Amino acid sequence: MQNIKVKIPATPAGSYDITVAGGLLPSVRARIKELFPGRNLFFVTDKNVVKAGHLKTLLGSGSADVYTIDPPGEISKMIETATAIVEAMEKCALGRDCCVVALGGGTVGDIAGFAAAIFKRGVPVVQVPTTTVSQADSAVGGKTGVDSTLSKNAYGAFWHPAAVFIDVETLQSLDSRQFNAGLVESVKHALIADGEYFDFLLENCDLLLKRKTDVLETLAIKNCSIKAAVVEDDPTEKNRRRTLNYGHTIGHAVESASGFELLHGESVAIGILGAFNIEQQLGLGDEKRISQVRTLFEKLGLPARIPAKIQKTEIIEMLKHDKKAIDGRPLFVLLESCGKVLCENGNWAVPVSPDILEKAIEGLY
Amino acid sequence: MQNIKVKIPATPAGSYDITVAGGLLPSVRARIKELFPGRNLFFVTDKNVVKAGHLKTLLGSGSADVYTIDPPGEISKMIETATAIVEAMEKCALGRDCCVVALGGGTVGDIAGFAAAIFKRGVPVVQVPTTTVSQADSAVGGKTGVDSTLSKNAYGAFWHPAAVFIDVETLQSLDSRQFNAGLVESVKHALIADGEYFDFLLENCDLLLKRKTDVLETLAIKNCSIKAAVVEDDPTEKNRRRTLNYGHTIGHAVESASGFELLHGESVAIGILGAFNIEQQLGLGDEKRISQVRTLFEKLGLPARIPAKIQKTEIIEMLKHDKKAIDGRPLFVLLESCGKVLCENGNWAVPVSPDILEKAIEGLY
């Protein structure tokens, strides 16, 4: 079992712990009770997680107040679901002295975290991620939110978790499409922050696909450490935290435009290749790295192209609505080299001219 | 013109200014543009404020993106209105680089502030309050939110304004019921923090009812200074800030139970008299102060009793759902003397036993 401390001075507690271990889940409820004595717990999960048996493992024999998101996935990630959760909490007569526990993937964590952020003007949330994408990324860092019909994570809050518990054994229940897609966030972390970690991923790809516990633990610790360092430096995404959006600007647009038929990780994989297309036009592209990433993505069975049924113009229009857009011009995180993000005049995300962007998008068809 | 600085270290700017003056409104838009160069402004107001001409005065001749809450008042203070506002902002293709301007009373400020808090995970909000209650209370201090069907301000966020502009001339457009009810927050500030201010209110009640600009300015400055001092000390209501809820625990329940036929200030007036009933049972009541407050409330034409059609049991049930309740027992702020809140073992709000509470409520019929 390993602990990673994330220091966020602006939060009431000032920091929170990420605990990583295989087989952690059965002890998590008792650990939360120990951390927050006297708090009433309210559990949020989804139908897939219940089916996989994780809720039962977490709850043990005790009863509990639970909201189960149904249907699972991005399609439920809308403000109405967050509203339904806070209304369910209100009906349980919960006050400020409660704590939300989010058990599941990225959408569960994002919605439950947002519900916790707005219930009675904010109650603690404990994240218990059960997917590759949430264990690597969304459960750590305090971004919560829901989608609008026009853009992803349009409404939300920065609401840092009070604690994170990562049991890599829960990943065994994922189907291979979901498991593999979530690994894209690990590749992203390596690309923006750690060349050696990138080499580790290349070398251990087969063991990873076999879901070996020790490799999965190494990944979780690496991912959380990289993300924690960035989040500590810039908790509310004023600048450096934007590096975590590498591949996400085009990725979010493709994900929305696909009507969420593409998974988040699959869309970000396309987005990373799109960022490569921008980098190449700007003379930043490193052929070796690009070819290695392409090979890695192929091994993971990830798409390399935007589905033909999505119009190029639709993607470009959506990019104008991106949260990070300034006057309709989206900002892009770009790599200088493997493990190093381009930083121009102190800015970690740079505006890209419409013609370069259009060409980069064209290259994804 | 006077400025009051409110220091909130946990916010990005660290502090914000409250500017108070009669006749300020026509210059407010230019002042906001100066404070936030380059930010797209999105205005939120309500139908009454538009009718009173304040929106026109604020906007001048320029065009603007505006959301007008209709119907005005507490009835629209629900999560669906906040959702409609953020959706309207999304349709205007606004990004994180926008700023919400809330022009109106307490409900406009609370809803617009909440919308700003959740849009793209948070954009600045400038509060331009136009009623006695919002100028004295709700526009300052960063509490935002909407009601559920079960309780007031059930969902919301602590989201401190980026600036507050108070033009006391806007109060001339209020009908006397609204104007008078809003003065209850001033009486509350005096009772919890400043005995001399209480004497000022007693002595100047007639001039106040005549809406003399200089008296209104004095009130605004006194109210904001008292509130700022408490909010600076405890921005997210861990303890001392609870003193600002004096009279609000019963007040909120009465307001909800009346179906918002009673105004916020009218309900808080009843709530203050309810707190007196608790204080008297605990041997804290000061007959002179109680009689002075009753006389003052009479002059302001405020109700002293809970409407007969509201059941006592309904009020008691709602108090269990209060945000500040712990295990169904509501906490009460109580006065030790005029200008001084009772503090027990470092706690500014104390649990009250069910029998004392029931007797206090009975005394309000």
Side-chain angles (χ1 to χ4, degrees):
Chain A
M1 198 169 77
Q2 289 219 33
N3 267 296
I4 299 152
K5 195 170 275 300
V6 188
K7 292 186 210 82
I8 310 289
T11 57
S15 73
Y16 60 90
D17 279 332
I18 306 169
T19 307
V20 177
L24 186 66
L25 196 57
S27 68
V28 165
R29 191 177 186 179
R31 286 167 194 270
I32 297 172
K33 277 283 176 196
E34 214 172 281
L35 270 174
F36 303 109
R39 282 201 180 254
N40 297 306
L41 304 183
F42 187 88
F43 296 84
V44 179
T45 189
D46 73 21
K47 216 178 155 184
N48 285 344
V49 176
V50 174
K51 251 191 239 167
H54 300 321
L55 182 68
K56 213 174 157 189
T57 308
L58 174 65
L59 294 184
S61 55
S63 68
D65 291 322
V66 179
Y67 184 96
T68 303
I69 297 170
D70 182 21
E74 196 80 28
I75 196 166
S76 286
K77 198 176 150 183
M78 48 189 188
I79 203 157
E80 289 77 9
T81 310
T83 305
I85 292 170
V86 289
E87 281 175 358
M89 293 171 69
E90 181 82 338
K91 273 180 199 145
C92 291
L94 295 174
R96 279 190 194 163
D97 59 334
C98 73
C99 172
V100 173
V101 181
L103 175 75
T107 54
V108 171
D110 285 3
I111 303 170
F114 182 46
I118 67 171
F119 186 71
K120 309 284 167 175
R121 297 203 185 94
V123 297
V125 62
V126 171
Q127 296 281 357
V128 189
T130 60
T131 62
T132 36
V133 69
S134 57
Q135 291 189 356
D137 185 27
S138 56
V140 177
K143 279 192 180 184
T144 72
V146 293
D147 305 333
S148 75
T149 49
L150 288 169
S151 65
K152 275 205 56 156
N153 301 318
Y155 319 130
F158 284 99
W159 197 246
H160 292 278
V164 182
F165 293 96
I166 297 180
D167 179 353
V168 295
E169 294 292 333
T170 59
L171 303 178
Q172 301 297 342
S173 68
L174 294 179
D175 64 42
S176 61
R177 188 182 165 204
Q178 272 227 316
F179 179 86
N180 293 3
L183 295 175
V184 173
E185 299 291 351
S186 301
V187 178
K188 178 199 78 179
H189 281 139
L191 285 172
I192 63 164
D194 191 339
E196 280 177 31
Y197 180 33
F198 184 69
D199 294 338
F200 176 88
L201 290 172
L202 289 178
E203 284 156 24
N204 291 276
C205 187
D206 294 332
L207 291 173
L208 199 48
L209 289 173
K210 284 179 188 153
R211 309 189 191 185
K212 295 286 179 201
T213 299
D214 57 337
V215 179
L216 292 173
E217 283 181 351
T218 303
L219 246 69
I221 290 156
K222 271 280 181 198
N223 288 325
C224 291
S225 304
I226 289 171
K227 183 143 186 191
V230 176
V231 169
E232 281 182 3
D233 192 47
D234 177 15
T236 56
E237 196 168 311
K238 298 294 166 219
N239 194 356
R240 189 183 158 203
R241 183 169 178 161
R242 291 183 179 160
T243 58
L244 295 171
N245 289 318
Y246 187 63
H248 279 61
T249 310
I250 293 172
H252 276 166
V254 171
E255 189 181 1
S256 290
S258 80
F260 300 103
E261 282 182 21
L262 284 176
L263 296 176
H264 179 71
E266 291 170 341
S267 310
V268 173
I270 295 171
I272 288 176
L273 300 176
F276 288 175
N277 290 350
I278 296 173
E279 289 157 17
Q280 282 183 308
Q281 292 181 72
L282 297 173
L284 293 162
D286 166 346
E287 293 301 336
K288 186 181 156 211
R289 183 239 311 165
I290 292 177
S291 128
Q292 284 173 327
V293 171
R294 283 193 184 277
T295 309
L296 192 53
F297 283 177
E298 260 169 48
K299 277 195 179 179
L300 298 176
L302 295 166
R305 306 197 167 279
I306 297 175
K309 65 175 176 182
I310 300 174
Q311 300 286 317
K312 190 185 76 181
T313 48
E314 190 184 348
I315 298 292
I316 288 169
E317 189 54 35
M318 291 184 101
L319 289 172
K320 286 190 199 163
H321 285 281
D322 188 87
K323 263 189 307 301
K324 273 82 65 181
I326 291 185
D327 283 331
R329 288 181 78 188
L331 297 178
F332 277 85
V333 177
L334 299 171
L335 294 188
E336 199 175 298
S337 61
C338 186
K340 195 173 173 202
V341 172
L342 175 74
C343 184
E344 269 188 355
N345 308 319
N347 295 314
W348 296 91
V350 294
V352 166
S353 73
D355 54 323
I356 289 182
L357 179 58
E358 196 171 334
K359 219 168 150 188
I361 303 280
E362 269 166 16
L364 292 171
Y365 280 90
Chain B
M1 198 169 75
Q2 290 218 33
N3 267 296
I4 300 152
K5 193 170 278 298
V6 188
K7 292 185 211 83
I8 310 288
T11 57
S15 73
Y16 61 90
D17 280 330
I18 306 168
T19 307
V20 178
L24 186 68
L25 197 57
S27 68
V28 165
R29 192 177 186 178
R31 286 167 193 269
I32 297 171
K33 278 281 175 200
E34 215 171 280
L35 269 175
F36 304 108
R39 283 202 179 253
N40 297 305
L41 304 184
F42 186 87
F43 296 84
V44 179
T45 188
D46 74 21
K47 218 179 155 186
N48 285 344
V49 176
V50 174
K51 250 192 239 167
H54 299 320
L55 182 68
K56 214 173 158 193
T57 307
L58 174 67
L59 294 184
S61 54
S63 68
D65 291 323
V66 179
Y67 185 95
T68 303
I69 296 170
D70 183 20
E74 196 80 27
I75 197 165
S76 286
K77 198 175 151 184
M78 49 188 186
I79 204 156
E80 289 76 11
T81 310
T83 305
I85 292 170
V86 289
E87 281 175 357
M89 293 171 70
E90 182 83 338
K91 274 180 199 143
C92 290
L94 295 173
R96 278 192 195 163
D97 60 335
C98 73
C99 173
V100 173
V101 181
L103 175 75
T107 54
V108 170
D110 284 3
I111 303 170
F114 182 47
I118 66 172
F119 186 71
K120 309 284 168 177
R121 297 203 186 93
V123 298
V125 61
V126 171
Q127 296 282 358
V128 189
T130 61
T131 61
T132 35
V133 68
S134 57
Q135 291 189 355
D137 184 27
S138 55
V140 177
K143 279 193 180 181
T144 71
V146 293
D147 305 332
S148 76
T149 49
L150 288 170
S151 66
K152 276 206 58 160
N153 301 316
Y155 319 131
F158 284 98
W159 197 246
H160 292 278
V164 182
F165 294 96
I166 297 180
D167 180 353
V168 295
E169 294 291 334
T170 58
L171 302 179
Q172 300 297 341
S173 68
L174 294 179
D175 63 43
S176 60
R177 189 183 164 202
Q178 273 226 315
F179 180 85
N180 293 2
L183 294 175
V184 172
E185 299 291 352
S186 301
V187 178
K188 178 200 77 179
H189 281 138
L191 284 173
I192 63 165
D194 191 338
E196 279 177 33
Y197 180 34
F198 184 68
D199 294 338
F200 176 89
L201 290 172
L202 289 179
E203 284 157 23
N204 291 275
C205 186
D206 294 333
L207 291 172
L208 198 50
L209 289 173
K210 284 180 186 149
R211 308 187 192 188
K212 295 287 178 200
T213 299
D214 56 339
V215 179
L216 293 173
E217 283 181 353
T218 303
L219 245 68
I221 290 156
K222 272 281 180 195
N223 287 326
C224 291
S225 304
I226 290 171
K227 182 143 187 191
V230 176
V231 169
E232 281 183 4
D233 192 46
D234 178 14
T236 57
E237 198 169 310
K238 298 296 168 220
N239 192 356
R240 188 181 159 203
R241 185 170 176 161
R242 291 182 178 161
T243 59
L244 295 171
N245 288 318
Y246 187 62
H248 280 61
T249 310
I250 294 172
H252 276 165
V254 171
E255 188 180 0
S256 291
S258 80
F260 300 104
E261 281 181 20
L262 284 177
L263 297 176
H264 179 71
E266 292 171 339
S267 311
V268 173
I270 295 171
I272 288 176
L273 299 176
F276 287 175
N277 290 349
I278 296 173
E279 289 156 17
Q280 281 183 309
Q281 291 180 72
L282 298 172
L284 293 162
D286 167 346
E287 292 301 334
K288 185 183 155 206
R289 182 239 310 164
I290 292 177
S291 129
Q292 283 173 327
V293 172
R294 283 194 184 275
T295 309
L296 191 54
F297 283 178
E298 261 168 48
K299 275 195 180 180
L300 298 175
L302 296 166
R305 307 199 166 276
I306 298 174
K309 66 176 175 181
I310 300 174
Q311 300 286 315
K312 191 185 76 181
T313 48
E314 191 184 347
I315 298 293
I316 289 170
E317 192 53 34
M318 292 184 101
L319 289 172
K320 287 190 198 164
H321 285 280
D322 189 87
K323 265 192 306 300
K324 274 82 65 179
I326 291 185
D327 283 331
R329 288 181 79 188
L331 297 178
F332 278 85
V333 176
L334 299 171
L335 293 189
E336 199 174 297
S337 61
C338 185
K340 195 173 173 204
V341 172
L342 175 75
C343 184
E344 271 188 353
N345 307 319
N347 295 314
W348 296 91
V350 293
V352 166
S353 73
D355 54 323
I356 289 181
L357 180 57
E358 197 172 331
K359 217 168 151 186
I361 304 279
E362 268 166 18
L364 292 172
Y365 281 90

